[in-house]
Amino acid sequence: MTDPNAIQPSELDQLPDRDPEETAEWQASLDAVAKAAGPHRAAYLMRRTLERAEGNGIALPKLLETDYVNTIPTAAEPGLPGDPEMEARITAWNRWNAAAMVTRGSKYGVGGHIATFASAAWLYETGFNHFFKGKEADGSGDQLYIQGHASPGIYARAFLDGRLDEHQLDNFRRESGGNGLPSYPHPRRLPWLWEFPTVSMGLGPLSAIYQARFNRYLTARGIKDVSESHVWAFLGDGEMDEPESTAALALASREGLDNLTFVINCNLQRLDGPVRANFKIVQELEAQFRGAGWNVVKSLWGNAWDELFQLDTTGALVRRLREVPDAQVQTYQTRDAAYIRQDFFGKDPALVEMAKLLSDDKILECFHLSRGGHEARKVYAAYKAAVEFKGAPTVILAQTVKGHTLGEGFASKNANHQMKKLSVDEFKTMRDLLELPIKDSDFVDGVVPYGHPGADSPEVRYLQERRAALGGPAPARRVHPVTPLPAPAEKAFASFDKGSGTQNVATTMAFVRLIKDLVRDKETGKRWVPIVPDEARTFGMESLFPSLGIYSPKGQTYEPVDRDQLMYYKEAQNGQILNEGITEAGSMADFIAASTSYATHGEAMIPFYIFYSMFGWQRTADQMWQLGDQLGRGFLVGATAGRTTLTGEGLQHADGHSPVIAATNPAALTYDPAFAYEVATIVRDGIRRMYGEAAPGEDPNVFYYLTVYNEPLPQPAKPSGLGIDEGIVKGLYRFNTAESAGLSPVANAPRIQLLGSGTAIHWVLKAQRMLAEDWGVASDVWSATSWTELRRDALEADAGLLRGEERVPYVRQALHGAEGPVLAVSDYMRQVPDQIAQWVEQDWSSLGADGFGLSDTREGARRHFGVDAESVVVAALAQLARRGEVKATAVKEAREKYGL
């Protein structure tokens, strides 16, 4: 019984009802339909009414879920252009060779995936034949984010069109010999074919969104018109569980990225079993994407289902399709007609009658074979609807069968992700199903043969003609012959060589000042892409707002609250700054798109992404590996770096480890500069290496990670002398000696070499003076700008020795003959400086900020970690005492003197 005191839905509406009588009539009509025709009919009418309202632009809450049927009815499907029979033969060859390649490789134990491409073959083939634009097309062609596990099918197609040979297919996942194929889309491993690494789950969809957004950015800024380029991302339904997969859906719809299409292969299976065993992943994804503002196209059922839907005069079939969970749909794929009659049709009297009109063969055709993702006409209709839709991105939800055409042992089996080969008999069954002209005698010694109709066959000519019409091969990565960017004016860098005098300047601010000068450069200024995740004011970048503008496709539709101030918040359609809000993952995706524009679009851009250092590698290191794989170039800047410089923020915010993580990435050149002139020197050399004339043997496909600090201190002038710039870039140089520092040590004074990086150099310099004045110890101070680059150089020297090459590591050359032991200090874990210990000929010791961070003053935190100047002095004395160069009692005296 209804509670008379309960709030009725109409009472929750804040709008006054101008005609209560009309409202009551509508409600009564709905009640009457429900009573006379049943609640299903009433629900049907309501859905159709809401769809009509949405289509007419009437402002209503969106209908988030539609029936479990195709969005485009069969009668509304466009005709399939081209030669469908020819495309079917091409697809059959690709299916065969993809399975053969993985099976032949299984004898080496290298693995591979068969079932994914088997389910998605038509999703790719339809795109390659009719939609995906190549590099010679308008703009830059299309960008394809291909599902990693489908790579065998892409290799099979490249084999068919002559871009790969049998030897390369046989070296799938065996690259060390020099002519192999990487397991997944890895541009660094196969840079002429792959553009975008995708197999790290969730990064493909996230990157695709920001790539489509960056395409709009390039066009809006007048760098290059790429408005004809379309971004296609192929994803798995299980992959959509990754938070990165859906992290930027709202951005895509908010900015109207109709140059973007997601194709989600809904085979209802993830790696171990059903995606949504007791639910429906297609319906869930539809609601999620519709709620985010995307256009949704469902392609679920093939042509065989048309007869069933025509027989469904009561809506019983559609209702049953909505209620059957995914795991049961998967089960139908593996069961006989009798089981399907009983379990699917037997639940409703109307369906029982329908089933009487269907033969067993018809039932099996529908439930075993006929899916929207397996039929070219259905896929073509969905793709055409996607590229023609304007104002929002489109997602295509295509239902398929995982392991389709691979036989009963594969199709829809939970274990098919781990199944790496077919037997000879299974291949022969597959051959017959695909109608391929492969003879039994071609199976020599039980080895499955590759199949190819011939380089001049109708199939190959058709394939190549279709690709030529669409602008060339795809996928393909091409680095266009681009003239190196001219070096920025020297004055932008030289101004830092003078130092700041008595003015306190943090290295974070020094970097920002450098960027302000570089973006004004007439030749290269427009190519800088500043990226910041909602912390521009923290880093002192607000002065760039009015001069560069913040990119927004809508420009500025409001009057900013700070418009009367000099540094007001200015948005512009051609804005240069990408201010992403609170999303490090989104900012990294921006960076990846910008850093690879030199290849994707033939336009070199210089991105710099500045962030709280503990929110970079700690959160988004996976994307930084993706960046390295994609051969990205640019500057990552970890600001407010170090474990003791941002101490009020507490444990999670104290970065004592980002250089450790960065050191694991071979493409990352990690620097911890101490002074403003070091920052300028490193950036200048980075621009030369990545965008100018790289030296022989230098790889330009690297990115730089610079740690900079928020500790304002006087910036010294660059020391004079030969080799300073070289030392800064290579990772180590002598900043001063006891004598050049004016400390005038006594004759034969004990001496120690103090190495410091980043903000730690200031504690080291203070300790240098204390050692001289309080203990009569002479010390030389070295600035270690990159512990990691020193280690890599030493590793290369070691590797050279194994090849018979004689080369002394740079760190050993630099420190050769330096008197006394070495003490290294940084604001990071000791393992950061300890990277180079084995190549230092002197006695080695180090200090660092190991352990969890804490909230305190900088002085308190440094005393806690034992890295302040007093701690450096005590550690230096202890090292000298072990060598017998100072009295052992000096260590205890120093501890007591400094209160340690």
Side-chain angles (χ1 to χ4, degrees):
M1 184 174 178
T2 303
D3 182 356
N5 296 317
I7 298 177
Q8 300 304 309
S10 60
E11 294 177 48
L12 298 175
D13 196 336
Q14 300 299 308
L15 297 176
D17 191 342
R18 293 165 51 185
D19 193 340
E21 185 175 346
E22 181 184 35
T23 302
E25 290 174 357
W26 278 76
Q27 293 171 335
S29 297
L30 182 64
D31 292 342
V33 171
K35 184 176 181 180
H40 296 302
R41 177 62 180 169
Y44 176 85
L45 291 176
M46 287 299 299
R47 288 199 299 274
R48 298 293 88 80
T49 302
L50 287 171
E51 288 171 356
R52 175 60 62 86
E54 184 176 328
N56 290 337
I58 298 173
L60 283 174
K62 283 186 176 292
L63 183 66
L64 296 184
E65 187 179 317
T66 61
D67 287 328
Y68 200 63
V69 297
N70 294 349
T71 301
I72 303 171
T74 301
E77 291 172 0
L80 182 63
D83 186 337
E85 292 186 5
M86 184 68 72
E87 292 174 19
R89 292 205 297 274
I90 291 171
T91 305
W93 285 116
N94 292 340
R95 287 182 182 279
W96 177 272
N97 288 322
M101 176 174 57
V102 176
T103 297
R104 286 166 68 119
S106 66
K107 67 181 179 180
Y108 301 107
V110 295
H113 301 283
I114 304 178
T116 294
F117 178 73
S119 68
W122 276 113
L123 300 180
Y124 290 107
E125 195 61 38
T126 304
F128 285 129
N129 285 326
H130 302 288
F131 292 95
F132 304 157
K133 294 187 286 291
K135 293 298 182 182
E136 282 83 33
D138 292 339
S140 304
D142 288 354
Q143 287 83 56
L144 308 180
Y145 288 78
I146 290 169
Q147 195 176 2
H149 291 164
S151 62
I154 308 304
Y155 291 141
R157 198 173 204 275
F159 169 65
L160 204 64
D161 74 4
R163 292 199 290 164
L164 293 174
D165 58 32
E166 286 193 17
H167 178 67
Q168 288 170 298
L169 296 191
D170 265 346
N171 283 317
F172 173 58
R173 291 196 172 200
R174 294 193 300 142
E175 299 178 77
S176 59
N179 197 27
L181 300 177
S183 53
Y184 300 129
H186 291 306
R188 187 169 285 274
R189 300 258 55 93
L190 199 63
W192 61 266
L193 180 73
W194 297 120
E195 276 198 286
F196 307 106
T198 56
V199 81
S200 191
M201 298 294 230
L203 299 190
L206 179 67
S207 294
I209 289 174
Y210 281 89
Q211 181 66 57
R213 199 279 198 93
F214 186 75
N215 290 357
R216 290 281 175 85
Y217 170 89
L218 277 184
T219 302
R221 291 197 52 221
I223 302 293
K224 183 178 183 180
D225 184 359
V226 293
S227 54
E228 295 301 314
S229 293
H230 200 89
V231 178
W232 300 82
F234 289 84
L235 319 168
D237 46 2
E239 182 180 3
M240 300 310 294
D241 285 347
E242 293 284 1
E244 294 88 352
S245 296
T246 56
L249 298 187
L251 168 74
S253 61
R254 184 169 66 245
E255 300 205 1
L257 298 181
D258 50 25
N259 61 337
L260 170 68
T261 297
F262 276 14
V263 181
I264 303 181
N265 181 7
C266 299
N267 52 43
L268 316 185
Q269 285 184 251
R270 52 188 176 201
L271 307 187
D272 286 331
V275 177
R276 294 288 183 272
N278 297 299
F279 305 95
K280 302 189 80 65
I281 186 61
V282 170
Q283 301 300 88
E284 178 183 319
L285 290 174
E286 178 183 28
Q288 192 169 16
F289 278 87
R290 280 180 174 270
W294 286 52
N295 174 46
V296 178
V297 177
K298 293 195 288 191
S299 183
L300 307 180
W301 310 111
N303 288 324
W305 284 82
D306 289 348
E307 179 183 344
L308 275 67
F309 287 124
Q310 290 172 1
L311 294 173
D312 185 27
T313 57
T314 66
L317 176 62
V318 173
R319 290 196 300 272
R320 181 67 179 136
L321 290 173
R322 283 175 59 87
E323 64 190 32
V324 176
D326 283 353
Q328 194 63 19
V329 174
Q330 180 186 350
T331 297
Y332 293 149
Q333 174 67 33
T334 64
R335 299 301 177 89
D336 60 19
Y339 178 88
I340 298 171
R341 284 183 187 277
Q342 178 181 354
D343 192 84
F344 181 83
F345 292 98
K347 303 298 184 181
D348 187 295
L351 293 180
V352 171
E353 295 302 313
M354 179 189 294
K356 292 177 181 178
L357 304 175
L358 304 175
S359 67
D360 285 356
D361 286 345
K362 181 66 177 182
I363 289 175
L364 293 179
E365 180 186 13
C366 289
F367 284 85
H368 285 193
L369 302 175
S370 187
R371 296 290 189 275
H374 292 324
E375 297 184 12
R377 178 167 177 158
K378 302 293 184 184
V379 176
Y380 179 85
Y383 285 9
K384 190 170 188 293
V387 297
E388 292 178 353
F389 190 86
K390 300 303 177 186
T394 294
V395 59
I396 295 169
L397 303 175
Q399 187 174 160
T400 65
V401 174
K402 194 167 187 177
H404 186 57
T405 73
L406 296 181
E408 295 181 359
F410 261 85
S412 279
K413 294 299 176 67
N414 281 341
N416 58 24
H417 178 76
Q418 282 74 36
M419 298 163 69
K420 311 300 181 187
K421 61 182 178 179
L422 278 71
S423 67
V424 170
D425 288 341
E426 288 172 326
F427 265 108
K428 291 179 179 179
T429 301
M430 180 183 176
R431 172 201 61 190
D432 296 341
L433 175 65
L434 298 176
E435 300 180 347
L436 291 173
I438 296 173
K439 302 185 293 294
D440 285 356
S441 59
D442 293 334
F443 292 81
V444 179
D445 296 327
V447 177
V448 58
Y450 292 118
H452 200 292
D456 195 40
S457 64
E459 291 92 337
V460 173
R461 288 201 306 271
Y462 180 89
L463 182 156
Q464 293 175 341
E465 288 168 1
R466 291 305 309 144
R467 289 312 316 158
L470 287 166
R477 181 181 183 272
R478 183 172 304 167
V479 179
H480 302 264
V482 178
T483 302
L485 294 182
E490 183 61 26
K491 65 179 181 180
F493 305 102
S495 62
F496 292 88
D497 293 350
K498 302 174 184 177
S500 65
T502 59
Q503 181 185 7
N504 290 332
V505 177
T507 50
T508 296
M509 293 308 304
F511 176 82
V512 172
R513 289 183 185 180
L514 174 62
I515 294 300
K516 289 178 184 176
D517 291 338
L518 292 175
V519 296
R520 296 190 186 104
D521 186 84
K522 292 181 180 180
E523 296 290 335
T524 59
K526 68 178 182 179
R527 298 197 174 270
W528 285 88
V529 183
I531 302 168
V532 59
D534 201 36
E535 288 283 2
R537 296 183 190 278
T538 300
F539 306 133
M541 292 175 59
E542 66 270 26
S543 61
L544 298 177
F545 289 169
S547 58
L548 301 184
I550 300 165
Y551 171 72
S552 170
K554 293 187 176 181
Q556 193 143 36
T557 60
Y558 61 92
E559 182 179 354
V561 67
D562 53 0
R563 183 63 182 85
D564 57 342
Q565 298 179 16
L566 181 62
M567 294 181 285
Y568 68 97
Y569 198 84
K570 177 186 175 183
E571 297 189 70
Q573 288 181 320
N574 64 345
Q576 192 165 349
I577 300 170
L578 293 173
N579 193 330
E580 284 305 341
I582 305 176
T583 168
E584 287 77 19
S587 299
M588 269 306 302
D590 265 336
F591 187 89
I592 292 170
S595 70
T596 54
S597 180
Y598 72 93
T600 307
H601 297 299
E603 295 287 345
M605 305 299 287
I606 312 174
F608 78 88
Y609 165 33
I610 187 167
F611 49 89
Y612 273 128
S613 67
M614 60 279 180
F615 290 158
W617 291 88
Q618 181 170 300
R619 290 193 176 187
T620 57
D622 197 12
Q623 287 177 285
M624 289 155 181
W625 278 95
Q626 178 190 12
L627 167 65
D629 192 346
Q630 203 167 319
L631 289 80
R633 306 170 182 175
F635 296 95
L636 296 175
V637 183
T640 62
R643 182 149 278 165
T644 69
T645 56
L646 194 67
T647 56
E649 301 287 345
L651 183 152
Q652 290 176 268
H653 292 60
D655 172 26
H657 52 280
S658 68
V660 178
I661 307 174
T664 65
N665 191 313
L669 276 59
T670 302
Y671 286 90
D672 187 26
F675 305 122
Y677 66 79
E678 294 178 353
V679 173
T681 301
I682 293 164
V683 170
R684 178 177 56 195
D685 193 69
I687 294 172
R688 175 200 60 79
R689 176 171 178 171
M690 295 185 291
Y691 301 98
E693 296 286 356
E698 276 188 327
D699 182 5
N701 299 314
V702 294
F703 61 93
Y704 283 65
Y705 175 54
L706 279 71
T707 49
V708 293
Y709 298 82
N710 69 330
E711 190 165 14
L713 291 164
Q715 294 294 327
K718 181 189 288 188
S720 59
L722 297 175
I724 297 297
D725 284 1
E726 179 189 24
I728 291 172
V729 172
K730 288 191 171 182
L732 183 69
Y733 69 97
R734 184 155 48 195
F735 176 73
N736 71 16
T737 63
E739 291 77 10
S740 65
L743 298 177
S744 302
V746 298
N748 300 319
R751 187 176 289 267
I752 188 169
Q753 307 299 316
L754 301 178
L755 279 57
S757 69
T759 198
I761 202 80
H762 299 287
W763 326 326
V764 170
L765 288 168
K766 182 179 177 182
Q768 180 189 38
R769 184 164 296 276
M770 294 169 66
L771 282 166
E773 295 176 351
D774 295 352
W775 307 98
V777 171
S779 55
D780 303 334
V781 172
W782 300 70
S783 180
T785 54
S786 180
W787 309 101
T788 302
E789 287 306 296
L790 292 173
R791 175 179 175 80
R792 287 177 177 170
D793 171 79
L795 289 172
E796 289 176 7
D798 284 357
L801 287 175
L802 298 178
R803 298 189 296 267
E805 302 168 6
E806 291 290 338
R807 183 169 75 81
V808 179
Y810 174 78
V811 63
R812 183 166 293 173
Q813 295 178 45
L815 290 171
H816 180 67
E819 185 181 347
V822 168
L823 174 61
V825 188
S826 84
D827 202 16
Y828 298 96
M829 305 166 67
R830 286 179 58 181
Q831 68 192 78
V832 173
D834 284 349
Q835 292 180 86
I836 66 171
Q838 72 185 82
W839 294 280
V840 174
E841 61 187 25
Q842 293 86 351
D843 291 342
W844 174 271
S845 182
S846 65
L847 295 176
D850 287 78
F852 287 117
L854 77 167
S855 298
D856 207 317
T857 63
R858 287 173 178 153
E859 294 76 13
R862 286 162 189 169
R863 177 56 59 90
H864 168 80
F865 286 112
V867 293
D868 58 355
E870 291 79 3
S871 299
V872 173
V873 170
V874 172
L877 292 173
Q879 213 171 357
L880 291 168
R882 284 194 294 271
R883 294 163 57 95
E885 296 179 17
V886 299
K887 294 180 180 180
T889 56
V891 180
K892 180 180 179 183
E893 291 172 12
R895 284 202 304 266
E896 293 174 350
K897 177 180 177 68
Y898 303 131
L900 296 179

